[in-house]
Amino acid sequence: MKKELPREIKELLKKGVVIPAHPTALTKDLKLDHQRQRALSRYYLDAGVGGVAVGVHTSQFEIRDIGIYEEVLRLASEEIDVFTSKNNKTIIKIAGVLGRSEQAKNEAKMALKHNYHAALISLTALKGQSNQELIAHCKSISEIIPLIGFYLQTAVGGQVLDTDFWREFSKIDNVVAIKMAPFDRYNTLDVIRGVAESGRAGDIALYTGNDDNIIADLLTTYEVPVGDNIISLEIVGGLLGHWAVWTKKAVETFERIKNVNTNDIGKLLTLGAKITDANAAIYDTRNNFVGSIAGVHKILVRQGFLDDITTINPKESLSIGQEEEINRVYSIYPELNDDKFVSDNIDKWMGLN
């Protein structure tokens, strides 16, 4: 019997929350640093997030290659359980699942073993397959665990997925949400149109993964003509690699958006432009995102969470000039970082006091 979302998780996901993509803390010899990994989870939870996504792109897909995928899932799940027990707060657990059928099914079962609520499914291993073949794959995983669709940008391994795909994907009854991260307005609209035309718009929570357009995505209501009706859709939350850093500020901004008044919309859009500029530095857009994970790590090293910017793939390192760009946005947008919050709490998160 397939696993379905608990009612309180479904309601929270539909309401919309901040979900950071959890990085992986590694030693220089590519061992999992348990202390720092747990500290990151504690940081996100204390910052006020509503969910955590583990084993995803920001976690480094290659954690599977060095055999630590399940351990990464376990540590985050344990920290979330401790937090929810102490604080009586609901937190959504999302596990990244990828690969062809056998691997994806095994990862979905691992996610269930560690009490994850849903799987964010990556289709990078199935490039070149037809929509029909992709849908069949997704259906097979949805028989194990509730599914969150993932439109990953092509620059980091994704593929173009058309409206027809998203319409049929949305018809899968155990699909509960979609993360849209093509970094492209046209492709984002393809997803929204597909969901609207599926007949399940009321069942599927839309989340932005467009780190280049966070604020505008969260402020926009989309009206899609379907037959004689207009289907209104909103992007209710974010599942973002960018929110792996400066998370406390992200939560504060998200709350502003959720409680927005007309006079604040212009200010939020101005803030959105600053966030996009900061994301360009962190995600290394000038070099086609080669340093995106290293950029996130650089911020976390600066704040004391990580000891080094080590990545599993040696090609994923800071690009020439990227550190200077990060320093620039740090300097001109001090309102974006949460360094004070981190410095006040990091010893506690590290278990040092």
Side-chain angles (χ1 to χ4, degrees), residues 30-45:
L30 300 185
K31 303 295 183 184
L32 183 60
D33 189 323
H34 285 218
Q35 179 189 29
R36 295 181 184 277
Q37 189 73 7
R38 289 186 184 277
L40 281 169
S41 297
R42 293 165 185 168
Y43 160 51
Y44 298 135
L45 294 165

Side-chain angles (χ1 to χ4, degrees), residues 234-248:
E234 293 182 352
I235 298 172
V236 297
L239 198 170
L240 294 151
H242 186 82
W243 282 352
V245 297
W246 305 341
T247 312
K248 181 67 171 174

Side-chain angles (χ1 to χ4, degrees), residues 9 12-23 44-45 48-54 56 58 80 90-95 116-118 120 148 176-179 205-209 211 214 218 236-245 247 250-251 254 283:
I9 296 296
L12 187 60
L13 189 66
K14 287 284 292 177
K15 176 184 175 183
V17 293
V18 168
I19 304 176
H22 201 311
Y44 298 135
L45 294 165
V49 304
V52 178
V54 187
V56 293
T58 303
I80 292 170
T90 301
I91 300 291
I92 304 166
K93 298 179 187 177
I94 298 170
Y116 279 77
H117 300 114
L120 181 73
I148 298 175
V176 295
I178 297 172
K179 168 184 172 169
L206 295 177
Y207 275 68
T208 182
D211 304 73
I214 299 168
L218 291 169
V236 297
L239 198 170
L240 294 151
H242 186 82
W243 282 352
V245 297
T247 312
V251 170
F254 184 74
Y283 262 43

Side-chain angles (χ1 to χ4, degrees), residues 139-309:
K139 281 182 177 178
S140 70
I141 308 306
S142 76
E143 290 298 318
I144 299 170
I145 190 170
L147 218 54
I148 298 175
F150 185 15
Y151 200 161
L152 178 66
Q153 62 163 320
T154 56
V156 291
Q159 60 185 309
V160 175
L161 297 165
D162 60 18
T163 298
D164 291 342
F165 169 82
W166 291 110
R167 184 192 308 111
E168 296 309 308
F169 177 82
S170 299
K171 289 179 181 178
I172 300 171
D173 63 8
N174 212 21
V175 166
V176 295
I178 297 172
K179 168 184 172 169
M180 300 172 291
F183 285 49
D184 183 291
R185 307 285 69 74
Y186 305 115
N187 293 155
T188 299
L189 288 171
D190 285 342
V191 181
I192 291 167
R193 181 181 156 204
V195 173
E197 294 176 358
S198 72
R200 294 192 67 239
D203 301 319
I204 296 174
L206 295 177
Y207 275 68
T208 182
N210 291 319
D211 304 73
D212 64 335
N213 200 54
I214 299 168
I215 303 296
D217 272 359
L218 291 169
L219 283 172
T220 303
T221 298
Y222 299 86
E223 295 185 343
V224 184
V226 179
D228 295 330
N229 300 313
I230 299 294
I231 307 298
S232 292
L233 292 166
E234 293 182 352
I235 298 172
V236 297
L239 198 170
L240 294 151
H242 186 82
W243 282 352
V245 297
W246 305 341
T247 312
K248 181 67 171 174
K249 291 291 186 177
V251 170
E252 292 172 1
T253 300
F254 184 74
E255 290 304 317
R256 278 181 65 187
I257 294 168
K258 284 295 188 180
N259 298 288
V260 68
N261 60 62
T262 303
N263 294 331
D264 199 29
I265 291 176
K267 293 177 181 178
L268 279 167
L269 290 172
T270 298
L271 176 62
K274 295 177 181 179
I275 292 171
T276 297
D277 190 18
N279 180 257
I282 297 168
Y283 262 43
D284 194 28
T285 61
R286 290 162 183 81
N287 296 288
N288 205 31
F289 303 93
V290 170
S292 58
I293 292 174
V296 169
H297 287 193
K298 187 65 181 179
I299 301 291
L300 295 175
V301 168
R302 183 171 182 150
Q303 291 185 319
F305 285 108
L306 301 184
D307 187 43
D308 189 76
I309 66 167

